[in-house]
Amino acid sequence: MSIRRRLHLLALSVLLSSFSLATLAVAQEDVVQDQAVEEAPPAAGPAEIISDQIFGPRVPTDLAFGAFQRGYFLTALEFALPRAEQGDAPAQTLIAEIYAKGLGVAQNDQRAAGWYELAAKNGDILAMFELAMIYQDGIGVPKNRARAADLFNKAAQAGYLPAKYNLALLHIEGIYASPSLSTAASLMLEAAEAGLAEAQYDYGTMLIEGAGLAPNLEEGARYIGLAAEQNLTEAQVDYATLLYLGQGIERDVAAAAGWYARAAEAGSAVAQNRYAKLLAVGEGVPLDLQEAGMWRALSRRQGLSDPALDRLLVSIPPEDLTQAEERARFWPSTPPSIETVAEIPSIAPPGTGDTAPATLPDLLPTTVTPAAEPQNP
């Protein structure tokens, strides 16, 4: 998942949580009836009065956002349009979201950008952020990074954390915002403390490198670890390396192998390569040449070739190499041949008597040829 997609999902979750999540009737007639009831609410009885005194006033049902969350996108659009035409910024943002993602309608980036523009002018910080992302990438509008920087700045000043993160990146780049690593570090810290994984990873890297603030290896490793726990693949790879080297954290090769494995499963070519190395020498994990061969094949398919890993796998038996390539071809699924061997029993041909059926060769050699010394991943 890209950084833009993760930030967009975070923005959407904030957008939805800012509105009432009251139950919406499945049938549209019931929804309309609920709206009519809202327009002419009955006089509050004793129970309602007591409830309001204890829990505070009840929040009116927001039909447009209720329908959106239930997946009734056309109904949400129908309820949002009248409000949006009267300048309701949240409703305008909702419509922009529907067109941006093609939810119940044909995707239309230009129309989405127009609605985001209206909502941003009416002060909706989520619309400001989404519009900034649109201008930064040139989606539905001409690419305009200066305009994107201005919108990021406005949303950041309004307190929106993903905007602060993006503004920090602009300060690091130093083209569309003043070049200032210290300002970037300050903004990055705010977003990191709020739990944004990308900010945790970048702030941890800044701490390790001493970029914009005093170097602190321990804190840097801690922040990168927090991002890794949120399944940010890049952070998992770097955290595994910190564990392997014992940099800013106690050395733990087994834990490093575990993080490399998680990132390899997520598709990181670097993690696949380094995990294969550990498997090839049995460092932090049991030695498994076939498994190492599979991960090498997967990393090669992404364009990462490594002569050092090739030397470590020089002793792999041909049958294991063939099986490793077959597993890589079907990864993450299991090759059909393996499933067949596991499910269909062998039947000895007539006349073999008590002769035991032939077995598959062992996956690993009985001895390991010391072709090369173990290397750092």
Side-chain angles (χ1 to χ4, degrees):
M1 183 180 292
S2 67
I3 289 179
R4 169 171 166 74
R5 177 62 178 159
R6 282 190 294 268
L7 292 176
H8 175 79
L9 290 175
L10 176 60
L12 180 57
S13 67
V14 174
L15 175 68
L16 292 176
S17 65
S18 64
F19 291 89
S20 172
L21 303 182
T23 303
L24 181 72
V26 175
Q28 185 172 348
E29 293 79 8
D30 293 338
V31 175
V32 175
Q33 184 178 4
D34 289 342
Q35 187 181 33
V37 171
E38 282 189 348
E39 292 173 354
E48 287 79 4
I49 294 174
I50 294 175
S51 175
D52 289 347
Q53 290 174 346
I54 297 175
F55 301 107
R58 286 164 289 174
V59 179
T61 301
D62 190 302
L63 298 176
F65 283 87
F68 183 91
Q69 193 175 52
R70 291 285 298 275
Y72 303 122
F73 301 120
L74 290 178
T75 301
L77 183 61
E78 182 180 351
F79 281 121
L81 274 171
R83 290 167 46 186
E85 291 170 353
Q86 295 179 11
D88 186 302
Q92 292 169 340
T93 301
L94 179 62
I95 295 172
E97 181 68 22
I98 289 173
Y99 281 111
K101 298 303 172 187
L103 302 175
V105 298
Q107 185 177 358
N108 190 321
D109 294 328
Q110 292 78 14
R111 187 168 293 180
W115 281 109
Y116 279 133
E117 187 80 51
L118 288 174
K121 288 180 179 178
N122 288 324
D124 191 289
I125 62 172
L126 301 177
M128 291 178 194
F129 175 77
E130 288 298 325
L131 189 61
M133 298 295 287
I134 285 174
Y135 274 111
Q136 179 161 278
D137 298 334
I139 299 175
V141 295
K143 189 172 183 177
N144 188 336
R145 296 196 61 203
R147 171 75 168 139
D150 180 62
L151 289 164
F152 280 136
N153 185 50
K154 289 179 179 178
Q157 289 180 357
Y160 192 52
L161 292 169
K164 291 186 178 184
Y165 169 73
N166 278 270
L167 188 59
L169 296 179
L170 292 177
H171 280 295
I172 293 173
E173 184 183 15
I175 299 176
Y176 297 97
S178 59
S180 175
L181 290 177
S182 59
T183 301
S186 177
L187 291 167
M188 200 76 75
L189 175 60
E190 288 187 61
E193 286 295 310
L196 187 61
E198 291 80 10
Q200 292 171 338
Y201 173 55
D202 288 346
Y203 185 67
T205 302
M206 295 179 77
L207 281 167
I208 290 175
E209 296 177 353
L213 66 176
N216 189 325
L217 298 182
E218 291 76 14
E219 274 296 281
R222 185 177 74 84
Y223 274 103
I224 291 176
L226 291 174
E229 289 171 358
Q230 293 200 63
N231 294 320
L232 186 61
T233 305
E234 300 92 330
Q236 291 174 341
V237 175
D238 282 5
Y239 191 57
T241 303
L242 293 174
L243 284 164
Y244 183 88
L245 298 175
Q247 185 176 357
I249 192 172
E250 185 177 353
R251 190 169 191 263
D252 189 336
V253 178
W259 283 109
Y260 279 136
R262 288 180 61 174
E265 290 284 353
S268 167
V270 173
Q272 290 168 349
N273 172 269
R274 295 180 182 178
Y275 187 51
K277 286 183 178 180
L278 295 180
L279 286 162
V281 298
E283 189 175 7
V285 288
L287 187 146
D288 191 331
L289 295 182
Q290 185 186 119
E291 186 80 3
M294 183 195 75
W295 289 114
R296 178 182 65 171
L298 289 169
S299 65
R300 278 179 170 178
R301 289 183 182 181
Q302 299 191 64
L304 179 56
S305 297
D306 187 348
L309 177 56
D310 296 339
R311 289 193 296 270
L312 293 177
L313 291 175
V314 69
S315 61
I316 185 172
E319 60 271 22
D320 280 355
L321 180 59
T322 299
Q323 193 64 47
E325 295 287 346
E326 182 76 356
R327 290 174 58 192
R329 187 164 73 90
F330 284 92
W331 184 85
S333 301
T334 304
S337 58
I338 294 179
E339 295 175 352
T340 302
V341 169
E343 295 172 3
I344 301 179
S346 299
I347 300 178
T352 56
D354 295 332
T355 304
T359 59
L360 293 174
D362 292 336
L363 295 179
L364 301 176
T366 55
T367 59
V368 179
T369 304
E373 292 296 325
Q375 300 181 11
N376 291 346

